[in-house]
Amino acid sequence: MTTHQEEAPASAEQLRDAMVRELIEVDAARSPHVVAAFRKVPRHLATPELDLATAYQTEFAAITKKDSDGVAISSVSAARIQAMQIEQADLRPGMRVLEIGSGGVNAAYLAEIVGPEGLVVTVDIDHDVTARAEKFLAETGYDQQVRVVTADGECGMAAHAPYDRVLVTVQAADIPPAWTEQLVDGGRIVVPLRMRGMTRTVALVRHGDQLLSDSVELCGFVPMQGAGENRVRLVLLHDAEGEEVGLRLDGHPEPDADGLRAALRSPSVKAWSGVTLAGDESSEHLDMWLTTALDNLPLLAATPAARERGLVASASPLGVPTLVDGDSFAYRTVRRTENPDRFELGAIGHGPQSQKVAERLVEEIQVWDREHRSDRARIEIHPTGAPDGQLPSGRVVDRPHTRVLITWP
Ligand SMILES: C[S@@+](CC[C@H](N)C(=O)[O-])C[C@H]1O[C@@H](n2cnc3c(N)ncnc32)[C@H](O)[C@@H]1O
């Protein structure tokens, strides 16, 4: 008879070390001070309801609150996203940092990096969240360095301004004036900014009344509440017993919903581009190009049941870029190639103009491949009054407080 000795479960220190190794491997933690902070902060104490191993997974966001519709509205963000944003912030000891959206863990990382000469102010609109954050910061000894405030972050936090960095940890559709006004010239705002339905964490450097990006990364965050709330709108094209297909609109023209519903029920056509992606290659830059180049490109979201029924080729809760033209639409898709590591990009069209719309989307995929494959989008934030003629050419997203401009080299 053989006996198996049970392995002792990994300790928090061992799990933290493994997490940090992974963050370095995926290039999320790069600088020595970021690595040191992630090695030090006992993040598992912020989520006592989770088992230790889950608390230290690099991609795990612990949802701590949902709204009445079941939408997540608060979480302790995934370690990889936290590390990536902190790297984007380019922090140094002694800096003053404003964090919008609390949880405690990220504020502790910031406090570790800016040190005793620096200051961290973390603001959350939800009293339950600030109470959790305060408890974690007291338990871990960061309460002396971090001020926790319950307020709508739309107004920043003038009492402790100016800041060298503003780090936003909630999805924003706009940059409220207070964030820029309370930031030193040359300072940085890192913000998960939603542009035409697509959210990217953008590092923006202040140059007077303009903000210019020097880093844009894919991310997902819970939506902003309060005065700056601005959610995407879902227009359902099909809704039956869990089989949902809908268009997510973010300032896009009002669609011909009846026409598009009929289009979804009609047979589809496919068009292929000859452009391929590696299996592990993200389409995030292509998608930014498509949203820059095409006027009416909302996102088509679908449930797995809708895909199983054959209504759409892929199920994506956030949605895939979809070109809409009147009563027809075409969405981005991929197919396998003879090379098991590469997938060909194409479009699936529906409606009376299906072929034309699918070919138009494919044409723009080819333009990206020919002219922009190794480029990265740049984001500029201009005041609302900036006239079109004074802006560089690109896609302008008009928001209540700013004109967000997406440009390409
Ligand atoms: C992803 S969580 C923050 C994660 C956190 N920074 C951490 O340590 O991982 C986003 C938070 O933003 C908060 N929030 C939403 N709208 C806000 C607003 N207008 N002002 C301040 N906080 C807001 C939510 O209550 C939520 O707790």
Side-chain angles (χ1 to χ4, degrees), residues 73-77 82 99-107 123-126 129 151-154 169-170 221-226:
I73 53 168
S74 190
S75 66
V76 172
S77 301
Q82 290 173 325
E99 182 191 41
I100 310 281
S102 311
V105 175
N106 203 51
V123 178
D124 202 287
I125 197 165
D126 186 331
V129 178
D152 188 336
E154 175 88 356
T169 63
V170 55
F221 273 89
V222 301
M224 183 75 75
Q225 304 167 52

Side-chain angles (χ1 to χ4, degrees), residues 32-266:
H33 59 223
V34 176
V35 169
F38 277 72
R39 224 166 237 146
K40 183 125 184 239
V41 174
R43 63 183 287 129
H44 64 284
L45 297 179
T47 48
E49 60 282 7
L50 290 181
D51 64 87
L52 270 183
T54 307
Y56 282 101
Q57 279 176 22
T58 55
E59 294 290 349
F60 187 80
I63 308 294
T64 49
K65 200 162 185 176
K66 291 187 175 179
D67 70 8
S68 52
D69 297 327
V71 175
I73 53 168
S74 190
S75 66
V76 172
S77 301
R80 184 183 64 79
I81 299 288
Q82 290 173 325
M84 187 171 82
Q85 276 204 309
I86 294 174
E87 289 287 6
Q88 286 185 299
D90 189 24
L91 293 163
R92 282 185 288 283
M95 283 187 165
R96 302 169 69 84
V97 187
L98 172 64
E99 182 191 41
I100 310 281
S102 311
V105 175
N106 203 51
Y109 292 140
L110 300 175
E112 264 301 321
I113 297 169
V114 300
E117 305 298 314
L119 174 73
V120 177
V121 180
T122 182
V123 178
D124 202 287
I125 197 165
D126 186 331
H127 188 268
D128 293 346
V129 178
T130 47
R132 271 181 82 116
E134 273 170 346
K135 182 167 174 287
F136 171 79
L137 293 165
E139 234 179 312
T140 50
Y142 291 101
D143 49 338
Q144 295 304 308
Q145 258 177 280
V146 181
R147 313 273 162 89
V148 183
V149 186
T150 308
D152 188 336
E154 175 88 356
C155 304
M157 187 40 59
H160 302 287
Y163 301 100
D164 300 294
R165 303 290 186 256
V166 176
L167 182 49
V168 184
T169 63
V170 55
Q171 183 202 85
D174 199 357
I175 309 289
W179 297 355
T180 313
E181 284 159 15
Q182 293 172 20
L183 183 72
V184 299
D185 205 25
R188 260 166 200 271
I189 301 180
V190 176
V191 54
L193 190 62
R194 199 185 74 228
M195 296 155 287
R196 310 189 96 217
M198 296 182 195
T199 306
R200 302 288 187 268
T201 170
V202 184
L204 296 159
V205 180
R206 180 175 176 186
H207 301 266
D209 65 354
Q210 292 176 16
L211 298 161
L212 306 179
S213 76
D214 67 3
S215 160
V216 179
E217 301 276 1
L218 186 64
C219 68
F221 273 89
V222 301
M224 183 75 75
Q225 304 167 52
E229 180 168 323
N230 179 343
R231 296 204 185 175
V232 290
R233 191 158 66 88
L234 181 70
V235 172
L236 283 172
L237 302 185
H238 178 88
D239 182 15
E241 291 161 21
E243 296 164 2
E244 269 188 20
V245 180
L247 278 178
R248 290 195 187 282
L249 304 180
D250 181 13
H252 297 93
E254 191 58 36
D256 168 6
D258 288 337
L260 295 176
R261 280 186 200 113
L264 181 66
R265 288 193 299 268
S266 69

Side-chain angles (χ1 to χ4, degrees), residues 318-361:
L318 293 176
V320 289
T322 299
L323 179 60
V324 175
D325 186 353
D327 54 5
S328 303
F329 68 93
Y331 57 94
R332 171 176 65 56
T333 192
V334 288
R335 69 174 172 186
R336 293 182 179 282
T337 65
E338 280 169 11
N339 179 342
D341 281 340
R342 296 203 76 83
F343 293 84
E344 184 182 2
L345 290 155
I348 298 182
H350 285 266
Q353 304 293 320
S354 54
Q355 192 69 40
K356 185 185 109 191
V357 184
E359 280 169 11
R360 176 71 190 99
L361 186 55

